[in-house]
Amino acid sequence: MPQTLYDKLWQSHVVRTEADGTALLYIDRHLVHEVTSPQAFEGLKLAGRKPWRISSIVATADHNTPTDHWERGIEDPVSRQQVETLDANIREVGALAYFPFKDARQGIVHVVGPENGATLPGMTVVCGDSHTSTHGAFACLAHGIGTSEVEHVMATQCLLQKKMKSMLVRVEGKVGAGVTAKDIVLAIIGKIGTAGGTGYAIEFGGSAIRALSMEGRMTVCNMAIEAGARVGFVAVDDTTIAYLKDRPFSPKGEVWDRAVAYWRTLVSDADAAFDAVIDLDASQIKPQVTWGTSPEMVVAIDGQVPAPEDFADPVKREGVERALQYMGLTPRTPIKHIRVDQVFIGSCTNSRIEDLREAASIAKGRQKASNVRRVLVVPGSGLVKKQAEAEGLDKVFVAAGFEWREPGCSMCLAMNADRLEPGERCASTSNRNFEGRQGNGGRTHLVSPAMAAAAAIAGHFADVRDIL
Amino acid sequence: MRAFTALDGLVAPLDRANVDTDAIIPKQFLKSIKRSGFGPNAFDEWRYLDHGEPGMDNSKRPLNPDFVLNQPRYQGAAILLTRDNFGCGSSREHAPWALEDYGFRALVGTSFADIFYNNSFKNGLLPIKLPAAEIDELFAQVAITPGYRLRIDLAAQTVTRPDGKMLSFDIDPFRKECLLNGWDDIGLTLRHADAIREFEAKRRIEQPWLFN
Ligand code: SF4
């Protein structure tokens, strides 16, 4: 019977299955960060259990770490304690690799894994973080898990999981200039809604997905969770294999050839059946901007803020009313008239080298608008930072009046000092626009890196296609 | 894990769709390295008028009188009535920890986000999915009935309303068994340690690059 990529990934990891279909899935890679792991390490210790296979663990500190003045260390004592707890736990337990605070390869866990070749096709990848779906770009089965599951994986190298339904999101055609992976995934979420993928594993396919770089595919898979899907992935092709060649943890020599031969099989068979298929026409996708407090509240840059009466469903209508109030927006306002106070370019969605190049191409030779209080550019990792500096991107940003920071999660979730003030409005390349996400009372609009840079320059949302 | 068999509890309604885990427990409280003590900060941004930070004395903070859980009639609620896609967003298990610590033992709604749903079971918190029409009726009844309670029987997979109407719900047999018995997942899985070792040994030969 023809199989989907999901069937193949699933089948190759089942250790055993319960009568009701609950399976014990073997886990190849366990990514660990400071926020969701302390209780798991403690649980393990209290039960007198040892980690099953420490060579599966790759750890880094990212959520709490500051993005400037590293010489001062972590000033917030509570954040410092959490990072030091991770240091101590890894020291005690061990890991394949640990990139602690200030390490040259430290960074956001979902940036660090792939760039070190620690994420390989056909793997099951877990992390106590919902954006673990990012690793699906490499044809991995990558689950975000809770802390109890972090402990479970540490102790048993397995995850209890029921097979999900399968969905194919097919984006065919060519996107126009200025339209990026971020716009594609926001358009997908706008179409299926934030619960549209609940209970599904999403495969992203079609010529527009194939045409994306690995960075772009990571952006798309990253936000599968915003469409409600715990996992999202893309099949292996030449782009995948070219990206992995010569990464630190990628296989070498004869083993590389064997691995590549296997990886080539990680595609859905031609006649494989999906439980749901969603089609999008890439040529119709415009640069996207979210206006509300859920990623599905999204429109094209040439659109307007909607009105509650546009929605028939009373629960939805009420949600829209509440979002408009929180966001301080009036129905029918053209998106381009919305002014921003801060701009954030970063996060595991958009902080890779390509994202920074994209933002720099817009910022080059231009100046941040005077009404924009701050523009933060936060590379996803130490390696991204180094590469960007080698290309002179940091100078482009600084010349435009942007701030060039140290790597980390930063204002994506504002657990460190980088945050919005109450009422401030932000063009952000991150993935969540929930109430308070970037700071208590802060208002987040999700956009691509190019659109974020364009908003920084214009002082309000602007169509990047007019600037190119 | 704490077992869950049956519950007769006061119901509190949270009439919003897409309640995300950032709203259930804001990120500043995630800096804790403990599993307990999150209850006073459940729904912090909606519940209090000021901005909460870890280490504050929550009993001295101004409550938001408009937030439903602050109404006197819902004090002591053990069941939270919710709408679509509850628990979406971040995978933080601090969300079920906070709900449990607040005093909830069960959630009743139309749908739950996948990771949150999973995390709830691991903490003895039972999320129950019912059809939208039944949820609408429950919201309507709670609104007009002070002291509205529901009886939940996990073994029978039923929710009984005060008017006697019985609603049945679906649940995976494996999850149900674990919850009824309060079984520890890790202990259960380790009974299959030999199968895991065998699988791993095979994998090591077939895909050696995964084991460097
Ligand atoms: S960058 Fe944001 S979404 Fe990504 S792991 Fe960090 S906090 Fe989570």
Side-chain angles (χ1 to χ4, degrees), chain A residues 29-270:
Chain A
R29 176 67 68 231
H30 189 178
L31 303 168
V32 172
H33 68 85
E34 79 275 21
V35 178
T36 53
S37 65
Q39 297 87 350
F41 280 111
E42 197 197 354
L44 209 62
K45 209 183 298 175
L46 287 177
R49 289 174 174 136
K50 290 254 162 303
W52 184 281
R53 180 163 73 81
I54 51 175
S55 70
S56 69
I57 298 175
V58 173
T60 190
D62 53 4
H63 285 63
N64 274 294
T65 55
T67 61
D68 60 354
H69 295 297
W70 272 9
E71 74 288 355
R72 294 187 199 153
I74 304 175
E75 290 182 305
D76 171 10
V78 203
S79 294
R80 192 172 58 236
Q81 186 195 27
Q82 205 166 51
V83 172
E84 286 173 354
T85 303
L86 179 64
D87 289 341
N89 282 329
I90 297 291
R91 217 179 305 127
E92 191 182 328
V93 164
L96 172 68
Y98 179 42
F99 307 118
F101 175 48
K102 292 189 189 177
D103 187 275
R105 288 197 274 170
Q106 177 261 352
I108 306 171
V109 66
H110 308 307
V111 176
V112 165
E115 74 183 359
N116 284 290
T119 301
L120 297 171
M123 275 183 166
T124 39
V125 179
V126 296
C127 177
D129 190 282
S130 58
H131 289 102
T132 307
S133 58
T134 311
H135 306 266
F138 294 85
C140 290
L141 192 57
H143 299 85
I145 57 178
T147 298
S148 294
E149 290 175 315
V150 169
E151 187 181 336
H152 188 275
V153 172
M154 279 185 191
T156 70
Q157 210 57 42
C158 289
L159 182 67
L160 284 164
Q161 180 70 24
K162 253 194 141 171
K163 197 169 179 195
M164 294 172 264
K165 289 178 284 181
S166 65
M167 179 186 284
L168 174 64
V169 174
R170 199 161 38 193
V171 192
E172 293 288 355
K174 237 184 117 180
V175 291
V179 178
T180 68
K182 183 65 164 287
D183 303 301
I184 294 177
V185 70
L186 284 173
I188 293 170
I189 296 163
K191 181 166 172 134
I192 70 174
T194 45
T198 304
Y200 287 94
I202 299 183
E203 175 168 353
F204 297 99
S207 54
I209 302 291
R210 296 257 74 84
L212 292 174
S213 65
M214 289 317 291
E215 284 86 350
R217 294 176 192 184
M218 282 189 257
T219 301
V220 171
C221 291
N222 175 272
M223 291 191 74
I225 185 74
E226 268 65 57
R230 196 177 187 183
V231 303
F233 40 77
V234 175
V236 168
D237 63 9
D238 292 342
T239 308
T240 324
I241 289 164
Y243 179 98
L244 288 168
K245 187 107 181 92
D246 298 327
R247 302 262 160 190
F249 293 111
S250 291
K252 311 267 153 28
E254 177 263 342
V255 185
W256 165 262
D257 297 333
R258 268 178 69 193
V260 169
Y262 171 65
W263 295 344
R264 293 270 182 208
T265 67
L266 297 174
V267 296
S268 285
D269 296 336

Side-chain angles (χ1 to χ4, degrees), chain B residues 4 23 121:
Chain B
F4 187 111
F121 282 100

Side-chain angles (χ1 to χ4, degrees), chain A residues 62-63 108-110 129 131 222 347-349 408-409 412-413 431-432 437:
Chain A
D62 53 4
H63 285 63
I108 306 171
V109 66
H110 308 307
D129 190 282
H131 289 102
N222 175 272
S347 89
C348 58
T349 316
C409 293
C412 173
L413 94 165
N431 43 48
R432 287 186 178 140
R437 170 78 179 184

Side-chain angles (χ1 to χ4, degrees), chain B residues 17 25 28-29 31 53 70 93 103 107 110 117 130 133 138 140 142 153 160 181 193:
Chain B
I25 182 83
Q28 60 270 31
F29 304 106
K31 294 178 184 178
E53 284 292 333
N70 288 336
E93 197 161 317
L107 311 166
T110 42
Y117 186 74
L130 291 176
L138 289 175
V142 172
D153 183 340
T160 311
N181 295 293

Side-chain angles (χ1 to χ4, degrees), chain A residues 12-16 18 20 22 24 26 28 35 38-39 49 52-53 55 64 76 78-79 81-82 85 96 120 122-123 128-130 144-149 151-152 155-156 158 160 162 194-195 198-199 225 228 230 249 251 255 258-259 262-263 296 315 318 322 413-415 419 432 434-440, chain B residues 15-18 20-23 27-35 38 45-46 50-54 83-85 88-94 97 111-115 118-119 122-123 136 172-175 184-190 192-197 199-200 203-212:
Chain A
S12 59
H13 289 89
V14 174
V15 174
R16 55 168 278 126
E18 299 290 335
D20 77 343
T22 305
L24 210 52
Y26 185 80
D28 298 309
V35 178
Q39 297 87 350
R49 289 174 174 136
W52 184 281
R53 180 163 73 81
S55 70
N64 274 294
D76 171 10
V78 203
S79 294
Q81 186 195 27
Q82 205 166 51
T85 303
L96 172 68
L120 297 171
M123 275 183 166
D129 190 282
S130 58
I145 57 178
T147 298
S148 294
E149 290 175 315
E151 187 181 336
H152 188 275
T156 70
C158 289
L160 284 164
K162 253 194 141 171
T194 45
T198 304
I225 185 74
R230 196 177 187 183
F249 293 111
V255 185
R258 268 178 69 193
Y262 171 65
W263 295 344
E296 70 186 13
V315 178
E318 224 177 281
R322 199 176 285 125
L413 94 165
M415 264 183 97
R419 61 185 64 174
R432 287 186 178 140
F434 300 156
E435 290 184 17
R437 170 78 179 184
Q438 295 193 288
N440 182 35
Chain B
D15 198 357
R16 298 185 181 217
N18 299 317
D20 57 78
T21 53
D22 280 71
K27 68 240 158 193
Q28 60 270 31
F29 304 106
L30 271 51
K31 294 178 184 178
S32 166
I33 55 171
K34 297 201 301 258
R35 242 175 215 271
F38 295 100
E45 288 188 12
W46 294 340
D50 63 346
H51 174 70
E53 284 292 333
R83 293 269 184 200
D84 262 358
N85 202 27
C88 60
S90 152
S91 63
R92 61 189 69 164
E93 197 161 317
H94 311 68
W97 293 339
S111 67
F112 299 91
D114 288 338
I115 302 178
N118 231 4
N119 285 342
K122 315 269 177 206
N123 292 282
D136 283 343
D172 284 344
F174 182 70
R175 287 195 215 266
D184 155 39
D185 275 356
I186 296 179
L188 277 185
T189 299
L190 286 176
H192 307 300
D194 287 344
I196 302 171
R197 260 189 288 272
F199 181 94
E200 191 168 56
R203 201 159 175 74
R204 209 179 268 275
I205 295 166
E206 286 168 2
Q207 297 186 42
W209 58 87
L210 297 175
F211 293 84
N212 60 7

